[in-house]
Amino acid sequence: MQTDGALSGVRVIDLATVVMGPYAAQILGDLGADVIKVEAPGGDSARLAPPARHPGMGHLALNVNRNKRSVTLDLKSADGKAAFRDLVAGADILITNMRPGALDRLGISHAELAEINPRLITCRAQGFRSDSALADRAAYDEIVQAASGMTDIVRRATGTPSYVPTVLADKVCALTIAYSVLAALVHQRATGEGQEVEVPMADTMLAFTLVEHLAGHTFVPDDGGTGFNRSLAAGHAAVATQDGWACILPYSPRNIADFFAAAGRDDLATDERFVDRTQLARHQEELYGEIAAIAPTRTTDAWATLCAEHSIPFAPVLDLETAHEDPYVVDGGLLTKQQHPTEGTYRSIGFPVRFSATPAGMRTPTPRQGDDTAEVLRELGRSEEQIEAMVP
């Protein structure tokens, strides 16, 4: 039986584009919120990302816009702005990645919208803090990775200051948006007060990166440099087995001793380099080298069995090309086949968190741009003549 999500009764306005804001809003929609995606007449640029079966319905749009209604409004027009302000009047949360100057020019800053709805929570996410000298700079995921030190960490590990090959900053900041607005929602429910929440991407990613990589600079005066040795040591990578690739990661000195003993290398099981955490910290690179040297002597399945018998952390490397066939992925509903009214059969990414009383997940697939404009305008009390004038 379909049950209401935990956020049933909460209304969210998604005035954001590409990945970060829309992904955050989708999470809230998965949790049961009524999410209304407001798009300019030209649409969210994420809709254009190929591959796509039809214009405006690219893969990226399908992956960050389910459980939403799509409304097309021209916020530069009097009618569009009036409709948007009426939407805000009944909303709990507004998520946007528009910069403060753009919001001011449109007359939809938090201060102006709070006059309409004092309970409104406006979450504004942008590259850099609004009170910094960098506030007006454009920022995409790669810019934020560079500005937050993430690219430097990759340089230390690989020798090349590269970007992590996923839109990591966008997705980490999306999660930050989601938990931040939920905290503000608790306050709103308790006090009736709204507020403005700012999520600067560079700040968020720097804090994320420094959790382990602040290292010796945690102390004053410094007790060593920055960087977490276990992650940065040469050889910190999956290893080649006899027939594939795997992560074999004996973590503690006990794990390490058990692993090498079970693998028939008693000499390494008692090696002084790995007997305690102090020694291990000095010889992490050598440990990785020994594991990589022994890994090709057995198949991936054989290592899986050995590691399971001795409670040693292990995982085969998941090939994304065949992820939709992987038993763990399939059994967990992490990729399921769904039917879209216009796009046909497609794969939907499952919601990873399980709730015993208020399950989260897909209720409605990603709408085409403007699919719900007329419906939402009727809810706002617009006449059919007004709707006809506003809907292309």
Side-chain angles (χ1 to χ4, degrees), residues 76-102:
K76 295 179 181 178
S77 73
D79 287 343
K81 187 178 298 184
F84 181 77
R85 291 167 74 89
D86 286 349
L87 263 181
V88 165
D92 293 290
I93 298 165
L94 167 66
I95 296 173
T96 183
N97 60 346
M98 296 177 68
R99 295 182 218 171

Side-chain angles (χ1 to χ4, degrees), residues 15 75 81 84 98 103-104 106-110 112-113:
L15 184 65
L75 298 185
K81 187 178 298 184
F84 181 77
M98 296 177 68
L103 295 171
D104 289 339
L106 289 171
I108 55 172
S109 67
H110 175 73
E112 292 166 294
L113 296 179

